[in-house]
Amino acid sequence: MENRFLFLGPPGAGKGTQASLICKDKGLLHLSTGDLLREEVSSGTELGKQAESIMNKGELVSDEIVLSIVEKKLSKNFQGWLLDGFPRNLTQAQLLEDLLQKLDQPIELVLLIEIDDETLTQRMLSRGRKDDNEQVIRRRLNVYREKTSPLINHYKDLALLKSIDGSGDIEDVKNRIKEAIK
Ligand code: B4P
């Protein structure tokens, strides 16, 4: 059974929601770069100050900042992990692969959560985070298409990708994911 996963998918697809549930079930480390960046912002660290304005515009935080956060966490010994929201572009994917090779912990499965733009936008607007207004959501969707979606073919080529239908309620999506990873 796999223990090292990535969740890929557009903003608001439910990556964070599902990652929390699956990690609780399987006892995995949940590593969300979005949550870790928001913690840096709310603690007012130097890194958080640099990240905040970028996040509020819907752009990607720099690869160096994100990798430094991930490296700190993954270098500790864990039974398994689920990376949620990372990598977000091909450079991050390459940096991650180099790091995982060093740690001798290759990715075992990438789950792509797929959902239409209308549903995503509605979900994010009702979540109401600081970066969840219509203009920023549009920008985040464009950034996803330009920078993150090339990862779909990257992981397809590595024969690691499975797609999950992200529509329906939280329980439906969870059951589809459990079926895909069992
Ligand atoms: P993230 O924190 O990764 O957030 P997200 O993609 O918007 O949301 P996610 O897909 O996790 O959706 P969620 O479960 O919350 O990114 C935020 C920002 O951080 C980025 O824009 C970027 O600036 C920065 N960042 C993060 N990682 C980075 C990286 N690697 N490199 C550079 N920058 C990075 O679900 C959304 C809402 O829908 C929730 O309210 C949830 O309750 C609801 N929901 C979920 N599933 C549902 C369902 N089935 N039915 C109904 N509602 C549902």
Side-chain angles (χ1 to χ4, degrees), residues 25 28-29 35 41 47 50 53 63 73 75 80 89 104 106-107 117 126 132 139 141 153 164 174 180 182:
D25 262 20
L28 304 176
L29 167 74
D35 286 349
V41 171
L47 195 153
Q50 287 175 44
S53 61
D63 297 336
K73 295 273 172 187
S75 302
N89 59 32
D104 195 21
I107 300 164
D117 287 3
S126 34
D132 286 337
R139 181 65 200 139
L141 287 172
N153 278 337
I164 301 288
K174 182 186 167 193
K182 80 173 180 210

Side-chain angles (χ1 to χ4, degrees), residues 22-33:
I22 299 295
C23 286
K24 206 167 151 206
D25 262 20
K26 288 175 66 82
L28 304 176
L29 167 74
H30 177 191
L31 204 158
S32 157
T33 43

Side-chain angles (χ1 to χ4, degrees), residues 25-116:
D25 262 20
K26 288 175 66 82
L28 304 176
L29 167 74
H30 177 191
L31 204 158
S32 157
T33 43
D35 286 349
L36 292 169
L37 288 167
R38 281 185 288 278
E39 271 169 34
E40 298 282 343
V41 171
S42 60
S43 324
T45 64
E46 203 40 56
L47 195 153
K49 282 180 198 147
Q50 287 175 44
E52 186 173 23
S53 61
I54 302 170
M55 294 172 80
N56 287 342
K57 282 190 270 186
E59 303 292 338
L60 295 183
V61 173
S62 81
D63 297 336
E64 290 72 28
I65 290 185
V66 175
L67 194 85
S68 73
I69 294 181
V70 173
E71 194 161 11
K72 239 188 283 170
K73 295 273 172 187
L74 280 189
S75 302
K76 298 189 184 127
N77 239 345
F78 285 104
Q79 290 278 12
W81 37 255
L82 198 166
L83 302 185
D84 153 22
F86 174 84
R88 252 171 155 104
N89 59 32
L90 285 166
T91 308
Q92 291 184 7
Q94 193 53 59
L95 291 167
L96 174 66
E97 276 149 42
D98 295 346
L99 172 66
L100 295 179
Q101 200 169 20
K102 260 197 302 188
L103 299 173
D104 195 21
Q105 293 189 33
I107 300 164
E108 293 172 316
L109 185 65
V110 176
L111 290 177
L112 170 66
I113 305 184
E114 294 186 294
I115 187 137
D116 62 273

Side-chain angles (χ1 to χ4, degrees), residues 154-169:
H154 175 74
Y155 289 118
K156 237 185 226 164
D157 291 345
L158 295 172
L160 289 171
L161 193 87
K162 271 192 196 175
S163 297
I164 301 288
D165 173 7
S167 63
D169 65 27

